[in-house]
Amino acid sequence: EDKKILLKVPVAFATSLPGLGTPIPKVAEQIELVTNKSIRMKVYEPGKLVAPFEILGAVSAGKINAGYTTAGYWAGKIPASPLFSAVPFGPDAGEYMAWMYYGNGMKLYQEMYDTAGYNVKVMPCAINPPETSGWFAKPIEKPEDLQGLRMRFFGLGAKVMEKLGVSTSLLPGSEIFPALEKGAIDATEFSTPSVDTRVGFHKIVKYNYFPGWHQQSTIFELLINKDVWNKMSASQQAALNQVCKASMADSFAEGEAKQFSAMKENVEKRGVKIMQWNDTMLNAFQGAWDEVVAEQSAADPMFKKIWDDMSAFREDYKLWGQNAFLPRK
Amino acid sequence: MEVNEILVIAMFLSFIVLLFTGFPVAFVLGGIGVAFGFIGYLSDMYLDTFTGLDMLTLGLVVNRIYKIMDNWVMVALPMFIFMGIMLDRSGVAERLMQSIQQLFGRVRGGLAITVTLIGIILAASTGIVGASVVLLGLMSLKPMLDQNYSKPLALGTIASAGTLGILIPPSIMLVIMADQLALSVGDLFMGAVFPGILLGTLYVVFILAVGLFKPSAAPIPADAKPVEWQMIIAVLKSILPPVALIIAVLGSIFAGIATATEASGVGALGATLLAWYNKKLSFKVFKEVAHGTYNTTAYIFAVFLGATCFALVLRELGGDELIEHWLTGLPFGDYGIIICVLAIIFLLGFFLDWIEITLIALPLLAPVISALGLEIDGYGVVDNPELVWFVMLVAMALQTSFLTPPVGFSIFYLKGVCPPDVKLTDIYKGVVPFIALQLMALAILVAWPELVLWLPAMAYG
Amino acid sequence: MLVIIVQVVLRYGFNQGMVVLEELQWHLYAIGVMFGVSYAQVTNSHIRVDLIHMRLSRRAQHLWEIFGILFLMFPFIYVVLDASLPFVYDSWRINESSASPTGLPFRWLIKAVIPLSFGLLFIAGLSRLIRDVKGLVKGE
Ligand code: NA
Ligand code: NA
């Protein structure tokens, strides 16, 4: 008989946001069924127990035993962490999971937390399709159009935008719309069309850019205090692993399923213009990203180690990736 | 009854009892949190509960305190307090009050109406209740009492006019509610405009009625004269500088030039310049203003620290589940449940402040409301119209949580800037009619959801 | 205040410096108010619900104050102090900085404000305790 355990799981995103927050209540429901209630999960909305940016520290210290969030939120604590959330010009969901589960991704993910001295067990527990590239008040045709913009931006992409003369800040989801409305920022990115629409950016800024070069896919993680993890039975550990893996598939399916209707309504009912970055812009982003990677790799050994491994995997993957798929248009 | 339920109820009860003993509210909250954390730990060991509380878990308080520190919105609070106290010392505020009141010279309650109007303007500029109440209290309490207004009317007007800030946009509370329910902040802001105006209008009508039926409570100043052109010009002259300041603060926010925080800095600087212009600024005055600002900000902040500890333990004891459990068991119809839910929020407001209610109760209540399947018309533009409408009802009900004893934050803020001879009981007495007005406004919103939903539909359609 | 004004000028004059100054604002604010809590304790200006308190005898007021400090205030301070030291140490150990790319470094400095200010609050509470005990003994 396994020892019963209650995982208290504060989350970084409201559980009502499709794809972003919706996966974890399903995980909570499933883990209870799968383990015949030997593991129960109690999900706490953002900030109820602890604020999103405090989750890692609190889980590691054992103040709470688990948390659901995304690694990019630890950029101030572990410079390499955004590589496990989303990588500019990085892999899409299929390739990302290939590296995570069949490359060295999972090993490096855990090693990163161990090396930084965090007493946590990490597992990917949801993955999202590409995000939109942001919402702007006017068309952006050339890099100069970005100069002087003030924009909310997440993760490594923010450093790219800074290189192009954008002043970025990482506002939490709830503060973006008011900042936009008051003109404290001129533009923003947040998430997928279905999430962005709920927040209401289209009411202020109408030019919605694609593709999301900065987040072709985004991984969300379940963190569990390592002492708690080690005390679980092998069966309980396997159950958590498998339920999270199932959640990867489910969240990806949900994300893929929910975007087109949001985009269609945006265009037809809300006057949104769906825009594509031109080649000049994509090249400018790519160029700036190359600089950012070089700087980050030079500054942080762990970043370099993970980046090199991921890049090597992706280089090999190209032979498959470039031959196997039909063009999307 | 489960052990958990007993603990939750005991926690509330001991809070209320200890509160009235007069020990500082901040430490009553913090202390009870710690005590029940310990009790929860013991009950896990001996009473077979599953709270998971222990010393480590209580340590979450530190993470929560850090999050309270890391809140750039709050930076505006001391700035607006500074602006208020400085305006007071500059002598400008008093003249402003008198001048506008001259326009209402022959109207009984003119000064109180002036306060309400300025309250609406402040609500639109700060969005921070504490700052509005403090500023209004400093500006208008003395003139009102000098003019022999009844203490309760004066205090009630100030507390309720200042509290409009949580409803009239920009409002921090609406931002947090939008976050909790994943609604558009823009819809909520727009939706709050008419309810805010409605409430302000009710206040004005009430004050006029008091002037009519109980003239001694709102006396006309002895030197009141009929309005003449000369007077209007004199008035314009005297109110020009402060109004320019308010326009600078307000305008910069609405024009999108500055955030509320930046505007608060502009306001603080502007008030200082005004005092200097009026030759009232000295190092001594500056020091006193800074000192007053510091003290006021600090004790408000202390309550936040204590409350976060209390809320944490309450949540770990399962207090939120308990409330949800009670609610879902109600055997009433749609509007019956809505009224019950609002009544509960109203009752919670007696003991908890809005942020705890917003964070604990709202996410539990919203799904109940959504599931009712009410036909509320969002004009095809507003998403989740029934929730937007419900949030406005809640916001209106929560206005009362600022004004209801024993923990009414507006009351505390106001008490902080009152002369020592004003008792808490005076304020309690004063807010009662305004609470009644809020309930009336609430009933109007329940009957006509269009008041909430029409504007966002027009604005964004 | 100065910081905010500088920020406004910089943002619109030179279009930069936004994140650092925004963070500096709340850093300064947080330092100010956290220490302000003990200052308010020294000046005895924390908000109280004084309905019953006012009607008590001096002796009862002293007794209650002593009880409150010992069983409400001090345990709260103890919990915060106990948990904040590892909290600060962790931040120092990993050299934590802001999560925004151009934010401020050395986050442990601002986190250290928590134990420091609560330490000060303890001293302020202790001095109040001693005064109340004295008052009780002397019957003031
Ligand atoms: Na994003
Ligand atoms: Na407001």
mmCIF file of all heavy atoms in Angstrom, chain A residues 6 8 16 42 48-49 51 54 58 61 63 174-175 177 181-182 184 198-199 203 270, chain B residues 51 56 59 63-64 66-67 72 179 182 184 186-187 189 256 259 315-316 321 359 460:
data_model
loop_
_atom_site.group_PDB
_atom_site.id
_atom_site.type_symbol
_atom_site.label_atom_id
_atom_site.label_comp_id
_atom_site.label_asym_id
_atom_site.label_seq_id
_atom_site.Cartn_x
_atom_site.Cartn_y
_atom_site.Cartn_z
ATOM 1 N N LEU A 6 -0.528 14.326 -0.486
ATOM 2 C CA LEU A 6 -1.272 15.456 -1.044
ATOM 3 C C LEU A 6 -0.265 16.455 -1.604
ATOM 4 O O LEU A 6 0.548 17.008 -0.871
ATOM 5 C CB LEU A 6 -2.117 16.138 0.035
ATOM 6 C CG LEU A 6 -2.801 17.436 -0.394
ATOM 7 C CD1 LEU A 6 -3.860 17.180 -1.453
ATOM 8 C CD2 LEU A 6 -3.414 18.146 0.805
ATOM 9 N N LYS A 8 0.393 19.965 -2.946
ATOM 10 C CA LYS A 8 -0.188 21.302 -3.051
ATOM 11 C C LYS A 8 0.527 22.006 -4.193
ATOM 12 O O LYS A 8 1.742 22.191 -4.150
ATOM 13 C CB LYS A 8 0.002 22.069 -1.749
ATOM 14 C CG LYS A 8 -0.770 21.444 -0.599
ATOM 15 C CD LYS A 8 -0.737 22.331 0.634
ATOM 16 C CE LYS A 8 -1.616 21.722 1.725
ATOM 17 N NZ LYS A 8 -1.674 22.563 2.923
ATOM 18 N N SER A 16 -7.967 29.087 -16.058
ATOM 19 C CA SER A 16 -8.978 29.315 -17.083
ATOM 20 C C SER A 16 -8.356 29.660 -18.436
ATOM 21 O O SER A 16 -9.056 29.684 -19.434
ATOM 22 C CB SER A 16 -9.899 30.446 -16.634
ATOM 23 O OG SER A 16 -9.128 31.581 -16.307
ATOM 24 N N LYS A 42 -3.851 19.393 -5.084
ATOM 25 C CA LYS A 42 -4.723 20.537 -4.837
ATOM 26 C C LYS A 42 -4.085 21.725 -5.552
ATOM 27 O O LYS A 42 -2.948 22.103 -5.260
ATOM 28 C CB LYS A 42 -4.821 20.784 -3.334
ATOM 29 C CG LYS A 42 -5.876 21.784 -2.963
ATOM 30 C CD LYS A 42 -6.089 21.764 -1.448
ATOM 31 C CE LYS A 42 -6.864 22.991 -1.013
ATOM 32 N NZ LYS A 42 -6.834 23.155 0.447
ATOM 33 N N LYS A 48 -2.284 32.753 -4.904
ATOM 34 C CA LYS A 48 -3.117 32.420 -3.747
ATOM 35 C C LYS A 48 -2.272 31.908 -2.591
ATOM 36 O O LYS A 48 -2.462 32.309 -1.455
ATOM 37 C CB LYS A 48 -4.135 31.345 -4.120
ATOM 38 C CG LYS A 48 -5.351 31.918 -4.795
ATOM 39 C CD LYS A 48 -6.372 30.824 -4.921
ATOM 40 C CE LYS A 48 -7.769 31.374 -4.893
ATOM 41 N NZ LYS A 48 -8.747 30.284 -4.774
ATOM 42 N N LEU A 49 -1.385 30.984 -2.885
ATOM 43 C CA LEU A 49 -0.456 30.552 -1.849
ATOM 44 C C LEU A 49 0.824 31.350 -1.964
ATOM 45 O O LEU A 49 1.351 31.850 -0.991
ATOM 46 C CB LEU A 49 -0.116 29.065 -2.011
ATOM 47 C CG LEU A 49 -0.943 28.024 -1.271
ATOM 48 C CD1 LEU A 49 -0.242 26.688 -1.351
ATOM 49 C CD2 LEU A 49 -1.172 28.426 0.163
ATOM 50 N N ALA A 51 3.348 33.738 -5.011
ATOM 51 C CA ALA A 51 3.373 34.413 -6.304
ATOM 52 C C ALA A 51 4.142 33.577 -7.330
ATOM 53 O O ALA A 51 5.032 32.812 -6.964
ATOM 54 C CB ALA A 51 4.021 35.786 -6.169
ATOM 55 N N GLU A 54 7.877 33.132 -7.206
ATOM 56 C CA GLU A 54 8.401 32.590 -5.946
ATOM 57 C C GLU A 54 8.274 31.067 -5.875
ATOM 58 O O GLU A 54 8.694 30.447 -4.905
ATOM 59 C CB GLU A 54 7.649 33.199 -4.764
ATOM 60 C CG GLU A 54 7.844 34.692 -4.598
ATOM 61 C CD GLU A 54 9.283 35.033 -4.288
ATOM 62 O OE1 GLU A 54 9.846 34.450 -3.356
ATOM 63 O OE2 GLU A 54 9.858 35.862 -5.016
ATOM 64 N N ALA A 58 10.165 28.276 -3.235
ATOM 65 C CA ALA A 58 9.303 27.700 -2.199
ATOM 66 C C ALA A 58 9.274 26.170 -2.290
ATOM 67 O O ALA A 58 9.284 25.482 -1.269
ATOM 68 C CB ALA A 58 7.892 28.273 -2.311
ATOM 69 N N ALA A 61 12.671 24.796 -1.061
ATOM 70 C CA ALA A 61 12.833 24.881 0.384
ATOM 71 C C ALA A 61 11.877 23.947 1.120
ATOM 72 O O ALA A 61 11.993 23.777 2.323
ATOM 73 C CB ALA A 61 12.609 26.316 0.853
ATOM 74 N N LYS A 63 8.680 24.494 1.397
ATOM 75 C CA LYS A 63 7.538 25.230 1.945
ATOM 76 C C LYS A 63 6.242 24.762 1.301
ATOM 77 O O LYS A 63 5.180 24.798 1.890
ATOM 78 C CB LYS A 63 7.719 26.727 1.716
ATOM 79 C CG LYS A 63 8.869 27.336 2.502
ATOM 80 C CD LYS A 63 9.074 28.782 2.079
ATOM 81 C CE LYS A 63 10.250 29.401 2.826
ATOM 82 N NZ LYS A 63 10.528 30.761 2.317
ATOM 83 N N SER A 174 -1.615 39.831 -15.928
ATOM 84 C CA SER A 174 -2.732 40.699 -15.547
ATOM 85 C C SER A 174 -2.412 42.178 -15.717
ATOM 86 O O SER A 174 -3.304 43.002 -15.773
ATOM 87 C CB SER A 174 -3.088 40.439 -14.090
ATOM 88 O OG SER A 174 -1.956 40.654 -13.285
ATOM 89 N N GLU A 175 -1.144 42.537 -15.796
ATOM 90 C CA GLU A 175 -0.796 43.956 -15.857
ATOM 91 C C GLU A 175 -0.603 44.446 -17.284
ATOM 92 O O GLU A 175 -0.391 45.637 -17.505
ATOM 93 C CB GLU A 175 0.478 44.219 -15.045
ATOM 94 C CG GLU A 175 0.264 44.130 -13.552
ATOM 95 C CD GLU A 175 1.560 44.234 -12.758
ATOM 96 O OE1 GLU A 175 2.521 44.852 -13.262
ATOM 97 O OE2 GLU A 175 1.613 43.690 -11.650
ATOM 98 N N PHE A 177 -2.656 44.431 -20.095
ATOM 99 C CA PHE A 177 -3.702 45.236 -20.737
ATOM 100 C C PHE A 177 -3.768 46.668 -20.197
ATOM 101 O O PHE A 177 -3.777 47.621 -20.978
ATOM 102 C CB PHE A 177 -5.067 44.549 -20.646
ATOM 103 C CG PHE A 177 -6.121 45.262 -21.429
ATOM 104 C CD1 PHE A 177 -6.326 44.992 -22.773
ATOM 105 C CD2 PHE A 177 -6.882 46.264 -20.835
ATOM 106 C CE1 PHE A 177 -7.286 45.673 -23.502
ATOM 107 C CE2 PHE A 177 -7.847 46.953 -21.568
ATOM 108 C CZ PHE A 177 -8.047 46.656 -22.897
ATOM 109 N N GLU A 181 -3.285 49.991 -22.335
ATOM 110 C CA GLU A 181 -4.365 50.956 -22.450
ATOM 111 C C GLU A 181 -3.905 52.353 -22.071
ATOM 112 O O GLU A 181 -4.311 53.343 -22.664
ATOM 113 C CB GLU A 181 -5.528 50.514 -21.543
ATOM 114 C CG GLU A 181 -6.813 51.264 -21.797
ATOM 115 C CD GLU A 181 -7.925 50.776 -20.894
ATOM 116 O OE1 GLU A 181 -7.657 50.579 -19.698
ATOM 117 O OE2 GLU A 181 -9.044 50.599 -21.386
ATOM 118 N N LYS A 182 -3.032 52.446 -21.074
ATOM 119 C CA LYS A 182 -2.568 53.746 -20.624
ATOM 120 C C LYS A 182 -1.360 54.230 -21.416
ATOM 121 O O LYS A 182 -0.872 55.326 -21.183
ATOM 122 C CB LYS A 182 -2.159 53.671 -19.156
ATOM 123 C CG LYS A 182 -3.284 53.371 -18.236
ATOM 124 C CD LYS A 182 -3.119 54.168 -16.958
ATOM 125 C CE LYS A 182 -3.998 53.626 -15.872
ATOM 126 N NZ LYS A 182 -3.432 52.391 -15.299
ATOM 127 N N ALA A 184 1.605 52.943 -21.273
ATOM 128 C CA ALA A 184 2.880 52.687 -20.605
ATOM 129 C C ALA A 184 3.732 51.754 -21.466
ATOM 130 O O ALA A 184 4.952 51.779 -21.405
ATOM 131 C CB ALA A 184 2.661 52.081 -19.227
ATOM 132 N N ARG A 198 -8.654 36.496 -24.939
ATOM 133 C CA ARG A 198 -9.332 36.625 -23.644
ATOM 134 C C ARG A 198 -8.832 37.828 -22.868
ATOM 135 O O ARG A 198 -9.573 38.456 -22.118
ATOM 136 C CB ARG A 198 -9.119 35.365 -22.808
ATOM 137 C CG ARG A 198 -9.792 34.160 -23.386
ATOM 138 C CD ARG A 198 -9.909 33.076 -22.363
ATOM 139 N NE ARG A 198 -10.809 33.473 -21.292
ATOM 140 C CZ ARG A 198 -11.570 32.631 -20.616
ATOM 141 N NH1 ARG A 198 -11.543 31.355 -20.908
ATOM 142 N NH2 ARG A 198 -12.324 33.053 -19.641
ATOM 143 N N VAL A 199 -7.548 38.131 -23.008
ATOM 144 C CA VAL A 199 -7.000 39.284 -22.294
ATOM 145 C C VAL A 199 -7.438 40.590 -22.964
ATOM 146 O O VAL A 199 -7.531 41.623 -22.308
ATOM 147 C CB VAL A 199 -5.464 39.182 -22.208
ATOM 148 C CG1 VAL A 199 -4.904 40.292 -21.361
ATOM 149 C CG2 VAL A 199 -5.062 37.829 -21.631
ATOM 150 N N LYS A 203 -8.439 45.100 -28.469
ATOM 151 C CA LYS A 203 -9.215 46.310 -28.252
ATOM 152 C C LYS A 203 -8.355 47.557 -28.395
ATOM 153 O O LYS A 203 -8.869 48.656 -28.592
ATOM 154 C CB LYS A 203 -9.875 46.283 -26.882
ATOM 155 C CG LYS A 203 -10.926 45.188 -26.791
ATOM 156 C CD LYS A 203 -11.426 44.966 -25.402
ATOM 157 C CE LYS A 203 -12.439 43.815 -25.432
ATOM 158 N NZ LYS A 203 -12.893 43.463 -24.083
ATOM 159 N N ARG A 270 -13.522 41.544 -34.784
ATOM 160 C CA ARG A 270 -12.789 42.475 -33.927
ATOM 161 C C ARG A 270 -11.838 43.369 -34.715
ATOM 162 O O ARG A 270 -11.056 44.111 -34.122
ATOM 163 C CB ARG A 270 -12.003 41.708 -32.864
ATOM 164 C CG ARG A 270 -12.902 40.779 -32.064
ATOM 165 C CD ARG A 270 -12.184 40.105 -30.920
ATOM 166 N NE ARG A 270 -13.114 39.261 -30.170
ATOM 167 C CZ ARG A 270 -13.085 37.932 -30.170
ATOM 168 N NH1 ARG A 270 -12.162 37.288 -30.859
ATOM 169 N NH2 ARG A 270 -13.964 37.248 -29.469
ATOM 170 N N THR B 51 -3.786 19.264 7.075
ATOM 171 C CA THR B 51 -3.566 20.656 6.659
ATOM 172 C C THR B 51 -2.173 20.841 6.061
ATOM 173 O O THR B 51 -1.941 21.752 5.289
ATOM 174 C CB THR B 51 -3.687 21.610 7.854
ATOM 175 O OG1 THR B 51 -2.637 21.315 8.776
ATOM 176 C CG2 THR B 51 -5.019 21.456 8.547
ATOM 177 N N LEU B 56 7.887 25.073 8.191
ATOM 178 C CA LEU B 56 8.327 25.324 6.820
ATOM 179 C C LEU B 56 7.231 26.020 6.019
ATOM 180 O O LEU B 56 7.467 26.999 5.326
ATOM 181 C CB LEU B 56 8.664 23.996 6.147
ATOM 182 C CG LEU B 56 10.128 23.582 6.118
ATOM 183 C CD1 LEU B 56 10.250 22.214 5.459
ATOM 184 C CD2 LEU B 56 10.953 24.602 5.370
ATOM 185 N N GLY B 59 6.682 29.456 6.595
ATOM 186 C CA GLY B 59 7.733 30.260 5.979
ATOM 187 C C GLY B 59 7.326 30.884 4.663
ATOM 188 O O GLY B 59 7.963 31.823 4.191
ATOM 189 N N ASN B 63 7.901 34.645 1.411
ATOM 190 C CA ASN B 63 7.735 34.812 -0.035
ATOM 191 C C ASN B 63 6.595 35.776 -0.337
ATOM 192 O O ASN B 63 6.662 36.567 -1.270
ATOM 193 C CB ASN B 63 7.443 33.463 -0.691
ATOM 194 C CG ASN B 63 8.511 32.439 -0.405
ATOM 195 O OD1 ASN B 63 8.664 32.008 0.734
ATOM 196 N ND2 ASN B 63 9.263 32.059 -1.410
ATOM 197 N N ARG B 64 5.560 35.677 0.457
ATOM 198 C CA ARG B 64 4.401 36.543 0.230
ATOM 199 C C ARG B 64 4.713 37.988 0.593
ATOM 200 O O ARG B 64 4.276 38.919 -0.077
ATOM 201 C CB ARG B 64 3.196 36.024 1.017
ATOM 202 C CG ARG B 64 2.628 34.726 0.429
ATOM 203 C CD ARG B 64 1.701 34.024 1.396
ATOM 204 N NE ARG B 64 0.463 34.763 1.612
ATOM 205 C CZ ARG B 64 -0.679 34.488 0.991
ATOM 206 N NH1 ARG B 64 -0.732 33.503 0.123
ATOM 207 N NH2 ARG B 64 -1.762 35.176 1.242
ATOM 208 N N TYR B 66 7.644 39.318 0.386
ATOM 209 C CA TYR B 66 8.506 39.816 -0.692
ATOM 210 C C TYR B 66 7.660 40.252 -1.886
ATOM 211 O O TYR B 66 7.925 41.271 -2.531
ATOM 212 C CB TYR B 66 9.502 38.735 -1.108
ATOM 213 C CG TYR B 66 10.386 39.152 -2.255
ATOM 214 C CD1 TYR B 66 11.290 40.189 -2.105
ATOM 215 C CD2 TYR B 66 10.302 38.520 -3.497
ATOM 216 C CE1 TYR B 66 12.094 40.592 -3.155
ATOM 217 C CE2 TYR B 66 11.098 38.912 -4.552
ATOM 218 C CZ TYR B 66 11.989 39.941 -4.376
ATOM 219 O OH TYR B 66 12.782 40.342 -5.425
ATOM 220 N N LYS B 67 6.613 39.484 -2.179
ATOM 221 C CA LYS B 67 5.736 39.830 -3.306
ATOM 222 C C LYS B 67 4.989 41.143 -3.041
ATOM 223 O O LYS B 67 4.710 41.894 -3.962
ATOM 224 C CB LYS B 67 4.745 38.679 -3.551
ATOM 225 C CG LYS B 67 3.897 38.824 -4.798
ATOM 226 C CD LYS B 67 4.750 38.960 -6.045
ATOM 227 C CE LYS B 67 3.951 39.580 -7.181
ATOM 228 N NZ LYS B 67 4.810 40.024 -8.283
ATOM 229 N N TRP B 72 5.091 47.495 -8.015
ATOM 230 C CA TRP B 72 5.361 48.894 -8.393
ATOM 231 C C TRP B 72 4.110 49.754 -8.326
ATOM 232 O O TRP B 72 4.186 50.969 -8.240
ATOM 233 C CB TRP B 72 6.015 48.982 -9.769
ATOM 234 C CG TRP B 72 5.208 48.389 -10.890
ATOM 235 C CD1 TRP B 72 5.223 47.089 -11.308
ATOM 236 C CD2 TRP B 72 4.277 49.050 -11.745
ATOM 237 N NE1 TRP B 72 4.356 46.911 -12.345
ATOM 238 C CE2 TRP B 72 3.765 48.103 -12.648
ATOM 239 C CE3 TRP B 72 3.827 50.373 -11.838
ATOM 240 C CZ2 TRP B 72 2.826 48.406 -13.623
ATOM 241 C CZ3 TRP B 72 2.881 50.675 -12.812
ATOM 242 C CH2 TRP B 72 2.398 49.698 -13.682
ATOM 243 N N ASP B 179 -7.669 39.495 -13.536
ATOM 244 C CA ASP B 179 -6.638 38.470 -13.509
ATOM 245 C C ASP B 179 -7.195 37.165 -12.955
ATOM 246 O O ASP B 179 -6.982 36.089 -13.515
ATOM 247 C CB ASP B 179 -5.478 38.965 -12.636
ATOM 248 C CG ASP B 179 -4.379 37.932 -12.521
ATOM 249 O OD1 ASP B 179 -4.018 37.377 -13.576
ATOM 250 O OD2 ASP B 179 -3.906 37.682 -11.414
ATOM 251 N N ALA B 182 -9.706 35.782 -15.523
ATOM 252 C CA ALA B 182 -9.283 35.796 -16.926
ATOM 253 C C ALA B 182 -10.287 36.559 -17.780
ATOM 254 O O ALA B 182 -10.702 36.104 -18.837
ATOM 255 C CB ALA B 182 -9.088 34.378 -17.446
ATOM 256 N N SER B 184 -11.313 40.457 -19.618
ATOM 257 C CA SER B 184 -10.604 41.606 -20.155
ATOM 258 C C SER B 184 -10.655 42.761 -19.160
ATOM 259 O O SER B 184 -11.728 43.141 -18.688
ATOM 260 C CB SER B 184 -11.244 42.040 -21.470
ATOM 261 O OG SER B 184 -11.036 43.411 -21.688
ATOM 262 N N GLY B 186 -10.058 45.753 -19.872
ATOM 263 C CA GLY B 186 -10.723 46.853 -20.564
ATOM 264 C C GLY B 186 -12.235 46.784 -20.394
ATOM 265 O O GLY B 186 -12.882 47.801 -20.112
ATOM 266 N N ASP B 187 -12.811 45.591 -20.548
ATOM 267 C CA ASP B 187 -14.250 45.426 -20.349
ATOM 268 C C ASP B 187 -14.640 45.850 -18.931
ATOM 269 O O ASP B 187 -15.639 46.530 -18.722
ATOM 270 C CB ASP B 187 -14.663 43.962 -20.566
ATOM 271 C CG ASP B 187 -14.692 43.598 -22.046
ATOM 272 O OD1 ASP B 187 -14.645 44.521 -22.870
ATOM 273 O OD2 ASP B 187 -14.754 42.396 -22.353
ATOM 274 N N PHE B 189 -13.018 47.876 -16.866
ATOM 275 C CA PHE B 189 -12.855 49.325 -16.693
ATOM 276 C C PHE B 189 -14.052 50.065 -17.277
ATOM 277 O O PHE B 189 -14.652 50.916 -16.641
ATOM 278 C CB PHE B 189 -11.565 49.804 -17.363
ATOM 279 C CG PHE B 189 -10.338 49.648 -16.517
ATOM 280 C CD1 PHE B 189 -10.375 48.911 -15.336
ATOM 281 C CD2 PHE B 189 -9.130 50.237 -16.874
ATOM 282 C CE1 PHE B 189 -9.253 48.758 -14.544
ATOM 283 C CE2 PHE B 189 -8.003 50.095 -16.081
ATOM 284 C CZ PHE B 189 -8.064 49.361 -14.934
ATOM 285 N N GLY B 256 -2.345 58.945 -21.720
ATOM 286 C CA GLY B 256 -1.413 57.851 -21.946
ATOM 287 C C GLY B 256 0.036 58.289 -21.891
ATOM 288 O O GLY B 256 0.926 57.598 -22.351
ATOM 289 N N THR B 259 2.149 56.544 -16.416
ATOM 290 C CA THR B 259 1.433 55.576 -15.598
ATOM 291 C C THR B 259 0.979 56.280 -14.327
ATOM 292 O O THR B 259 1.411 57.392 -14.025
ATOM 293 C CB THR B 259 2.342 54.407 -15.197
ATOM 294 O OG1 THR B 259 3.405 54.932 -14.406
ATOM 295 C CG2 THR B 259 2.905 53.717 -16.413
ATOM 296 N N ARG B 315 -6.156 29.675 4.276
ATOM 297 C CA ARG B 315 -6.236 28.895 3.043
ATOM 298 C C ARG B 315 -5.740 27.481 3.264
ATOM 299 O O ARG B 315 -6.325 26.519 2.795
ATOM 300 C CB ARG B 315 -5.395 29.608 1.982
ATOM 301 C CG ARG B 315 -5.749 29.241 0.592
ATOM 302 C CD ARG B 315 -5.307 30.346 -0.348
ATOM 303 N NE ARG B 315 -6.133 31.513 -0.255
ATOM 304 C CZ ARG B 315 -5.706 32.752 -0.486
ATOM 305 N NH1 ARG B 315 -4.445 32.969 -0.771
ATOM 306 N NH2 ARG B 315 -6.527 33.764 -0.409
ATOM 307 N N GLU B 316 -4.636 27.355 4.006
ATOM 308 C CA GLU B 316 -4.084 26.011 4.258
ATOM 309 C C GLU B 316 -5.021 25.176 5.128
ATOM 310 O O GLU B 316 -5.057 23.967 5.026
ATOM 311 C CB GLU B 316 -2.717 26.135 4.938
ATOM 312 C CG GLU B 316 -1.652 26.813 4.073
ATOM 313 C CD GLU B 316 -0.798 25.822 3.306
ATOM 314 O OE1 GLU B 316 -1.216 24.663 3.171
ATOM 315 O OE2 GLU B 316 0.290 26.216 2.844
ATOM 316 N N GLU B 321 -12.257 26.165 0.680
ATOM 317 C CA GLU B 321 -13.113 25.031 0.314
ATOM 318 C C GLU B 321 -14.409 25.025 1.114
ATOM 319 O O GLU B 321 -15.476 24.691 0.615
ATOM 320 C CB GLU B 321 -12.386 23.712 0.558
ATOM 321 C CG GLU B 321 -11.396 23.386 -0.530
ATOM 322 C CD GLU B 321 -10.327 22.452 -0.051
ATOM 323 O OE1 GLU B 321 -10.515 21.810 1.005
ATOM 324 O OE2 GLU B 321 -9.285 22.376 -0.708
ATOM 325 N N LEU B 359 -9.369 37.373 -3.869
ATOM 326 C CA LEU B 359 -8.482 36.249 -4.138
ATOM 327 C C LEU B 359 -9.077 34.917 -3.677
ATOM 328 O O LEU B 359 -8.851 33.895 -4.287
ATOM 329 C CB LEU B 359 -7.123 36.475 -3.461
ATOM 330 C CG LEU B 359 -6.338 37.671 -4.002
ATOM 331 C CD1 LEU B 359 -5.021 37.836 -3.272
ATOM 332 C CD2 LEU B 359 -6.096 37.531 -5.494
ATOM 333 N N TYR B 460 -15.560 49.073 -27.575
ATOM 334 C CA TYR B 460 -14.685 48.143 -28.281
ATOM 335 C C TYR B 460 -15.350 47.472 -29.478
ATOM 336 O O TYR B 460 -14.769 46.619 -30.118
ATOM 337 C CB TYR B 460 -14.173 47.076 -27.305
ATOM 338 C CG TYR B 460 -13.365 47.636 -26.176
ATOM 339 C CD1 TYR B 460 -13.753 47.477 -24.858
ATOM 340 C CD2 TYR B 460 -12.199 48.357 -26.444
ATOM 341 C CE1 TYR B 460 -13.004 48.006 -23.818
ATOM 342 C CE2 TYR B 460 -11.445 48.890 -25.412
ATOM 343 C CZ TYR B 460 -11.851 48.713 -24.108
ATOM 344 O OH TYR B 460 -11.110 49.227 -23.094
#
